[in-house]
Amino acid sequence: MLTVQDVWAGYGPSTVLQGVSLTLEPGTVVALVGANGAGKSTVLKTLSGLLRPQRGRIAVDGRELTGRPPADWVRAGVAHVPEGRQVFANLTVADNLLLGAFSALARLGPRQRQERVEEVLAIFPDLGPKLGVLAGSLSGGQQQMLAIGRGLMSQPRYLLLDEPSLGLAPQVTETIFAVIGRLRDRGVGILLVEQNGRLALAVADRAHLLEKGVITVSGTGAELLANQTVVERYLGVGSPLDDGPRPQALAERLRRALGR
Amino acid sequence: MWEAGNVALTGLVTGGIYALLAVGFTLVFSVSGILNLAQGSFVTLGALVFYSLVTQAHWSLPLALLGALGILTAWAAVMEWLVIRPALGQISYTNLLMLMGGFLILYEGGAFLLWGSNPYTLPPFTGAQPVAVGGLKVPTQAFWVLGTVLVVVVGLWYGLSRTTFGKAMRACSENPMAAELMGIPVPRMVLVSFSLAAALGVLAGAVILPLTSLDFGTMADYTNQGLIAVTVGGIGNFFGSVVGGVTLGVVEQFLSVYVSSLLSTALSLVVLLLILIFRPEGILGTVRGSRLDVAERGIGRGFLAPAIDPRIGRGAALVALVGLALLPHWLQGTGLLRAVNITGIFCLAVIGLDLLTGIAGQVSLGQAGFMAIGGYTAGILAVRAHVAPWAGTLAGVALSVAVALLLGLASVRVRGMYLAISTLAFGILVESLGNGLSITNGPAGLLGIPNFSLGGYVFASETALYYLIWGLVVVALFAALNLIRSHRGRALRAMHIDQAGAEALGVNTVRYKIQAFVFSAVLASIAGSLYAFSFQYLSPAMVGSQTSLDLMTMLVVGGIGTGVGPLLGVVLLTFLPQVSQSLASFKLLAEGLMLVVFLRYLPGGLWGTVLQGVSAASWRWWRASRAWTDPTRLDKEADA
Ligand SMILES: Nc1ncnc2c1ncn2[C@@H]1O[C@H](COP(=O)(O)OP(=O)(O)OP(=O)(O)O)[C@@H](O)[C@H]1O
Ligand SMILES: [Mg+2]
């Protein structure tokens, strides 16, 4: 279990997170929703060691990792797929994947490395034919798949996904959500930050609304979807963009893809 | 025919060394984004340590090489760990670049103290007799050099492209954040890159030592050549660096044998400038990620000095003016007035540099080039055409303005690091012209320059010169402070912090940048002319690239971007060494040390630190009048 206790964090002198607490159990999906600038990405950064919290404790499976460098977090089984893909554009797809397992490489023989790559390819078959090309030449959706695949190479028990569906076509979003479902079923705990709050809430076991660095509403995904505050403040009642028939239908299909 | 072969061979050997240098630059740059201006130091330091281990400790060659490698890679690692790593993300990119320049000066000064100014060399590693290959006479050492270069290049290529470690290193250079998330220890990789680059330098220095002779002054030359090579090939591009190095060596050699050695340096610099302006990614480079355009990031927005209450400022200025007016009287008979005058001359140049670098954020590593233009134009016109000194000074100013316009235009295309390299190249170009042209009388210097005169009045006495020089300093300082406080000054600051942002706010960055260049060039040019007239003599070394670095150090030590502060730096670094000869031998070392320490720990310089102390004691003063240093003021004005 990944436990976050009263974490305060920020950049330089400024404080963004003001006492965030949450837990992520293996085999569950936890959604974190909130407006732009609420601090969602900042939460993930503190959970992967990129950002040292000013206060508070974070423990992975009972081991406290607060303030340790990212390498320790990867080794403890946490993988963070950052916002905006961030693939190594001038390295090949295969090398990108390989580096995803960097923390374990010393232990892995060529055989096991191959196996891990194949596992990722089984999840994202689209990457198969592209192994030898430079990551920068992939399409946006393929890069997102690569980013997630690269994160999976370390065989994490906790996966932190920051806006995995941003800018992707509905079909690709669907693929990615299907993958999320499968990983969850395999016992991976997933912390999901999504622009598209409705989608995230639809698939989440638990969900939190983050406002200005504070968690204001928590509950199951369904509870948040029905919550008056969340709908008013965040999902926006009657917003023509959010309430179109297509997202609804997509959410429905996604729920089915996830097997609910 | 065979002669051409020999020239090519010499070129290849030099080119191999340049290639190692260029690869060193590329390694550090691509992993950390730092342009390691101290890279050339490690060639010379490597050679000198190697020399001492061989001749004084009587170690065998291989053991001495290992010893030199061990000592200097460890040294580079410690410096990275102790100084550079903590500075990363803390100080602005401009300052980081100057910090690396500080290391260069520091190493020069250290080598000067340890090894003196004598050049050193060693006999060839094996057999003194050249080997005949066809009609070619190949010195045996050439095989050592070429072999080393080949082994190192192939080894590094394999290491970087085939091993996981190398791939991880490249990942750091592409996206440090993502690399961290993969569990790659990015700081350790940066450390490794610095050590590896140092090792490349040591290898180059050790194998080239028997073919040349090295002293502390060669460090800057190697840095310069390496920079040219790596820029030609494309910074961050491994093969580009190798090809750039070899090409530079061969072309330089052919030009210097068949045309003239002056032209060879000058031409390679002109080519470099053209490449920088029109193809900053290098001839072989492909456009790569965001590193190419190193703009000031939000980090360490430079130092914001608390402003002084205008009333106190005016009072202090009045006292200072009276003091200045009386100074010659007080100093009568001490013989110090001459040092005071030279200090004033440098103050002029530094005031301009502060506006350019401190306020507008355009690093110039070649500011003495404008001093040279001003000094030589006025000097040559006076000596050879008997043009009146004031007219010659104005002619120098005109020429400097023309060149500054060109450089300013280049700065529109070229930013951050590339601009710094351009200005560095400009400074060396001017210096090499001063050394090579007959009209300047070469390194011996231009003799017989008359005293400055205006109308019928000849400024022959130091006192007369004093009032001329310091009068100009006061006027220039007044103009600079006004400029800083005006709307234009705020625009320049905004540009410094975020060029794109400033543009979006409607700041005409092109015009302001060029104006800053021109202003600084005019002051440097006048300073150069006065320098020549007051010494009645001018040599290229007086206004060479070392002087450019001196100017930068004065700026940083005094307090970059603080207007008045840099003058303190000038006093410290010009006046003291002038007065005391024993201090002069420590000058380089002290200069480098100060540059490093101030950039790293006291970015406000002497002035800023004092001001901070004062303002901490009485913050009420400046709270009331935060004038131009208040960063939020920009926003407020944008809102209005
Ligand atoms: N590197 C940084 N340096 C300084 N401030 C930052 C940095 N990154 C984020 N912030 C600030 O922290 C706050 C929270 O940012 P964060 O990226 O966590 O928001 P977010 O919830 O992920 O938003 P979005 O939905 O737009 O991705 C914002 O106010 C932002 O300006
Ligand atoms: Mg975010």
Side-chain angles (χ1 to χ4, degrees), chain A residues 48 50 70-71 74 80 82 86 88-90 95 99-100 102 105 150, chain B residues 164 167-168 170-171 174-175 177-185 288:
Chain A
S48 57
L50 276 182
V74 182
H80 175 179
Q86 318 276 359
F88 303 119
N90 286 304
D95 285 344
L99 287 176
F102 183 85
L105 279 181
R150 189 180 60 178
Chain B
T164 315
K167 286 172 187 168
R170 283 162 62 204
E174 288 230 348
N175 190 331
M177 188 265 275
E180 288 240 49
L181 286 179
M182 304 299 106
I184 299 171
R288 275 185 164 232

Side-chain angles (χ1 to χ4, degrees), chain B residues 36 69 75 111 123 169 187 222 224 240 259 275 314 353 365 375 493 509 562 598 636:
Chain B
N36 182 9
L69 278 173
W75 176 261
M169 232 165 160
Y222 278 121
N224 295 338
V259 190
I275 289 177
R314 251 175 256 141
L353 187 61
L365 299 175
R493 276 180 182 281
T509 59
T562 58
F598 272 95
K636 286 178 206 151

Side-chain angles (χ1 to χ4, degrees), chain A residues 37 39-42 83 162-163 193 195:
Chain A
K40 305 180 296 290
S41 301
T42 307
E83 206 169 4
D162 202 344
E163 315 210 338
V193 170
Q195 261 317 298

